[in-house]
Amino acid sequence: MGFSMIAGAAFRALTARKDGPSLYDVCDPVLLKYRGGDPHLGKFYRTALGNPALRPLLRRTGHPALRDEKRLGALREALVRARDDAEPDWAAVGQPIAELMADIDVRHPSPPHVKAPPQAPAAAEIDRVIRRCGAHLLGSFSKNGFLPTYAAFNLIGDADMGGREMLMALTGLNSRGYKNSTLLFSLARIFIAHSPARALINPPWQGIAEPMWEPVQIRHRSAYYDAFFTEALLSYLETGLASKEETAVSRRAIDEMVDFCLKTSAEEVPSHDGSTVRVITALAPLPHPRFSRFFAQIKQDLGFGIYVPDCDTTACSFSAATQAGSTDPILDQPLLDFYRGYQVREGANEPRVTVPLNDNIDYEGGVVTWIDNIKGERPYGNDLDPTLNLDILEVSFRNLKRWKILETPQRLETVHRIIGFQRRLAESGAFADPRSHIYYLPELYSAYFGRCHAAFMALPDAARRAIDPDGAFEFIRGKVLDYVEGELITREMNPFDAALALMALAHLGADVSTFAPALNCIVAQFGEGGRHGPYRAYEWNKMKTPTRILVGGPEVTSAFVLMGLALARRVMKKT
């Protein structure tokens, strides 16, 4: 979005003709100043929605439906109940807002089809990009002492979050602060959708993964990111393109990131058999997440103070450490015993999924996301994401002998049921539907299935037959390849989409001729990141509640591009 478009959108928002009460007309009388009740609701309103940057853009945006005094009164009364009731009826509180969300009209991107390029770029061009991405990661590590990732808010919200899903979140989340933020962000979405500021807050983009708007990015560190960056640097070393100095820096960075995952970010939690297990938390205690002082306070004010461990961060951290050759005793814990307690069994513990935003899929056999901490806290309730379950399979394959999975019927059954969950996703085609995913894109699911499939194929034949006697992996492989070859690479892509496509194609044994669209996209857009790195920041993962929060960064894009190119390069050298 160029300067003239930004200026035009801002001018139209600042001079719009007001047609009904605005967000601030609705909320100021109730939430700007008050005594008693829940203080967080007002603090969140003033910090996130009533701040000096957003207020001018939305103050002239009214909603015609609220000219009806009865509807306006019902909406304000709902906010009063959220503010003052000790135990609000959240379904009733959210209902007036859910009704107004019907015409937000936020849709998933649908890039146009494009003509396939005649040939792939030269090998020297591919090597040049790999070296530059590797240098970017190592330079950032040397500068910051870690590899940063960023979070950014998109206030228009997620296309899969309608009024129905908002009510699911309000009734399924456990933290009152998180309910407050979901309620108010949902209300703000209604006015943003009707404002000229919408074009400023949510401009169009190229491809599927959303670019992250630079001015509103919160830098932080997490074990989940360090695990991913560990794999990226291992990939760089495997190419043989790293210099002697870069190799030494890579080894040091890998050791430090594995240590951050397994030691700094580890915490003890109760297991379902009465024992305790050491798992990996989403955000380690301060100062380890490396927030600036300003954003650390903002995070607290917005109600995101408590973070609990999650099954995905734990699986990815264990996998990266295993690949890096770690011998830390924490890796000896057979995680499948623990995950079994978080696995959904139809009719038995399906209520474990308290925020079923993707209830279009069958949860049976899947493992939920969030882990109760030692105090029993679960602020986000629980949800279930397909890609997370691929990561559990992948780490299990890498630790098949260590965890004695084939020798332990209960552990093997847990694996079989996760595979069954994944097969049903492929059979229904739901893996390609963005609504099926809580934290990721279908494109990333495809890339991570390729990663999981590669770990599966590295096992001995007998082990593969015991794990997958019905050929589910080959069936899913065909469905994912059909999607990537027939849909993803036939449309306009950005470099992040292209990197994910390459990871899937190379891991799943696609013909090298199919690499050309993604390779050309990556090489052609090299340098788009300007002073921040070879590429821009794109959406890696997201939170659909309390609003659409994207996570990614220039370093993340460099890492995915590096891994995608390294995989493609290895396959191309064999042909």
Side-chain angles (χ1 to χ4, degrees), residues 267-288:
E267 65 176 281
E268 199 167 78
V269 299
S271 190
H272 302 278
D273 60 3
S275 65
T276 58
V277 177
R278 289 187 69 74
V279 297
I280 312 301
T281 193
L283 278 182
L286 293 172
H288 299 297

Side-chain angles (χ1 to χ4, degrees), residues 129-153:
V129 176
I130 291 175
R131 286 193 176 98
R132 182 65 187 89
C133 288
H136 178 218
L137 294 178
L138 297 175
S140 180
F141 181 85
S142 297
K143 175 184 176 182
N144 297 296
F146 70 106
L147 282 167
T149 305
Y150 300 83
F153 289 86

Side-chain angles (χ1 to χ4, degrees), residues 201-231:
I201 291 169
N202 191 54
W205 66 86
Q206 176 180 316
I208 300 293
E210 182 176 342
M212 294 171 63
W213 197 35
E214 190 176 313
V216 194
Q217 293 186 9
I218 305 171
R219 189 188 75 171
H220 60 298
R221 183 182 191 183
S222 164
Y224 181 75
Y225 314 146
D226 275 28
F228 164 73
F229 286 129
T230 294
E231 290 195 27

Side-chain angles (χ1 to χ4, degrees), residues 59-132:
R59 69 183 180 86
R60 297 188 62 82
T61 296
H63 198 298
L66 295 178
R67 289 183 294 184
D68 181 337
E69 290 292 335
K70 187 176 180 180
R71 293 193 74 174
L72 177 60
L75 180 54
R76 281 189 178 144
E77 178 60 24
L79 294 175
V80 169
R81 295 276 65 83
R83 184 192 72 187
D84 293 349
D85 289 0
E87 297 289 340
D89 179 344
W90 288 102
V93 165
Q95 190 58 44
I97 296 175
E99 292 170 4
L100 290 170
M101 291 174 70
D103 59 350
I104 286 179
D105 191 30
V106 179
R107 303 182 185 184
H108 293 289
S110 181
H113 287 281
V114 293
K115 187 178 180 180
Q119 60 187 26
E125 284 292 292
I126 294 171
D127 287 357
R128 179 174 73 93
V129 176
I130 291 175
R131 286 193 176 98
R132 182 65 187 89

Side-chain angles (χ1 to χ4, degrees), residues 542-555:
K542 61 181 177 289
M543 300 283 286
K544 293 184 175 182
T545 60
T547 189
R548 185 167 165 79
I549 303 175
L550 308 179
V551 175
E555 287 86 354

Side-chain angles (χ1 to χ4, degrees), residues 52 66 156 393 429 433:
L66 295 178
I156 194 64
L393 290 176
D433 181 354

